Amino acid sequence: MRILVVHNHYGDYVIGGEALVMQAEVALLRSHGHDVRVYERTNAEIARRGLRGQIQAFRDVPWSEEGYQAVAREIDKFKPEVMHVHNYRFLLSPSIFKAAKERGVATCLTLHNYRLACPAGQFLRDGRVCEDCIQGMPYRMFWRRCSSKDTIKTLAQFYLYWDSRRRHYLAPCVDAYIALTEFGRTRFVAAGLPAGRVHVKPHFMEDPTGDQSPPQERRGALFVGRLSPEKGVDLLLEAWRGIDYPLFIVGDGPLRAKLEKCASANVIFLGPLEHTACLTAMKKSAFLVFPSVWYEGFGLSLMESMACGIPSVAFDLGPRREMVIDGHNGFLCPAEDVGAFRE
């Protein structure tokens, strides 16, 4: 089968979770004999366009003629049977599905986040889960400031959300949606996506251990993720007070300096690590901690820790219980219950 894979990177081709998943799926498809071509763009292009170009890019967020033409050219050259999209925000826009449908190409979209059900994309407001916009009144995001303190970013997110809902819900342009968990599927169906077109396909990974034997000694707890409010690292550090055991933190983000100042002496910040180095750190750790306070689309680090043979301690939120079986491959505790997490 000829498959065109499309991905709009958030930054300048930074390897994040969505990009890693996209690359893994491409490799898997090719290993099974499929002819796969990847078309990638990056939102970093917008910053290089100058003021006029940036204004135009903002206007094109819900429907980009340039994105439509670019993908149309790719389809005309490659002639795929299927176009699989991982992300179209912001540069490409939903217009790329029209280019595919006009050429008789089947389309599917992986739902890496909750943006088609929540304008802010995370079902999170003031550090708490919020599903108020699933069935209406998304305008609340402006006065609640649940997405961002940046007005332009909030406008862009709402602009894309509103037009995407119109195109995905009222005039369907995608043949199949791929949800990452059954929990995620229920949220999208509740928001209005047709149940018959939303399918669950979890992420996967190659065996990271190979023929290697496990380390003789595993020591320390490990956190892997972005150091931002929704990841719950502040709650993790609060839970860690009084625990005489090392905690290693892998990742970077806007809260790093603040978190380093309030961390106890046995908390070691390792900074961002390349993916292979991160897996090596997992193999040497005793267990993973997963204190995220939002639903998470999937939780790649949970899957990676299990593949490396270590259990997890996580807040019981969203789809986590589809991955962590309490008392078997990890422990779940009530969301944001610092005492239970510490225990």
Side-chain angles (χ1 to χ4, degrees):
M1 182 178 289
R2 297 169 71 84
I3 304 167
L4 177 65
V5 173
V6 178
H7 186 54
N8 191 146
H9 293 265
Y10 298 111
D12 203 356
Y13 297 103
V14 173
I15 300 299
E18 292 183 15
L20 288 173
V21 168
M22 181 267 291
Q23 292 169 356
E25 290 191 0
V26 167
L28 184 69
L29 289 167
R30 285 173 175 165
S31 72
H32 283 264
H34 296 289
D35 188 2
V36 183
R37 177 177 293 188
V38 179
Y39 180 69
E40 299 173 276
R41 299 290 293 274
T42 168
N43 289 333
E45 295 176 36
I46 298 174
R48 297 194 284 264
R49 290 182 175 182
L51 180 59
R52 184 174 179 179
Q54 290 171 19
I55 293 173
Q56 182 63 47
F58 180 81
R59 292 177 56 190
D60 290 347
V61 161
W63 193 264
S64 169
E65 179 64 23
E66 191 272 336
Y68 166 88
Q69 294 293 345
V71 170
R73 287 192 294 270
E74 288 296 314
I75 292 173
D76 290 340
K77 287 187 294 184
F78 185 52
K79 299 188 174 5
E81 298 162 77
V82 174
M83 181 178 78
H84 182 177
V85 179
H86 284 268
N87 181 41
Y88 55 72
R89 173 184 177 264
F90 289 111
L91 201 60
L92 293 175
S93 88
S95 67
I96 62 178
F97 294 107
K98 181 183 179 184
K101 299 306 291 182
E102 288 178 344
R103 289 157 176 78
V105 178
T107 58
C108 67
L109 171 66
T110 292
L111 302 167
H112 286 283
N113 49 63
Y114 298 105
R115 287 196 188 96
L116 286 183
C118 167
Q122 293 183 325
F123 286 127
L124 193 68
R125 175 166 61 93
D126 297 329
R128 299 288 187 275
V129 169
C130 172
E131 295 189 0
D132 289 353
C133 291
I134 277 189
Q135 295 179 330
M137 285 290 288
Y139 303 100
R140 286 174 287 206
M141 72 178 294
F142 290 108
W143 61 82
R144 287 179 171 178
R145 311 297 283 177
C146 53
S147 171
S148 171
K149 305 304 179 186
D150 186 327
T151 301
I152 299 299
K153 183 178 178 181
T154 299
L155 281 170
Q157 287 181 321
F158 181 81
Y159 199 17
L160 180 60
Y161 167 82
W162 188 253
D163 202 74
S164 291
R165 281 190 66 88
R166 178 169 66 88
R167 300 186 189 280
H168 286 277
Y169 292 85
L170 302 182
C173 57
V174 178
D175 295 310
Y177 296 90
I178 299 174
L180 310 180
T181 64
E182 185 58 40
F183 174 85
R185 182 181 184 278
T186 64
R187 299 300 84 206
F188 289 112
V189 172
L193 283 182
R197 290 213 304 272
V198 185
H199 313 275
V200 177
K201 186 196 74 63
H203 292 328
F204 65 92
M205 65 181 294
E206 296 290 333
D207 183 356
T209 60
D211 295 328
Q212 301 174 1
S213 58
Q216 293 298 311
E217 180 186 9
R218 295 179 183 271
R219 180 162 173 78
L222 181 70
F223 169 86
V224 178
R226 179 171 164 76
L227 303 184
S228 49
E230 75 278 5
K231 294 298 185 178
V233 187
D234 56 336
L235 298 179
L236 172 62
L237 296 185
E238 183 181 345
W240 214 258
R241 300 190 192 285
I243 294 179
D244 184 19
Y245 195 69
L247 168 63
F248 298 95
I249 294 183
V250 172
D252 205 350
L255 296 184
R256 182 174 176 179
K258 178 182 177 181
L259 293 170
E260 287 182 333
K261 287 181 180 178
C262 66
S264 52
N266 58 352
V267 178
I268 301 96
F269 288 79
L270 301 177
L273 295 180
E274 186 268 335
H275 189 236
T276 302
C278 183
L279 291 177
T280 298
M282 281 186 179
K283 295 171 190 177
K284 295 179 180 179
S285 301
F287 61 95
L288 181 86
V289 284
F290 198 89
S292 181
V293 297
W294 76 291
Y295 285 152
E296 297 277 352
F298 185 77
L300 278 175
S301 61
L302 286 173
M303 177 183 68
E304 291 169 341
S305 68
M306 295 176 199
C308 291
I310 64 171
S312 304
V313 179
F315 283 138
D316 186 5
L317 195 62
R320 252 153 269 183
R321 60 177 53 193
E322 294 180 46
M323 304 176 72
V324 180
I325 303 171
D326 191 40
H328 177 67
N329 59 3
F331 293 100
L332 293 172
C333 65
E336 299 182 54
D337 187 333
V338 173
F341 200 90
R342 179 185 295 120
E343 183 180 351

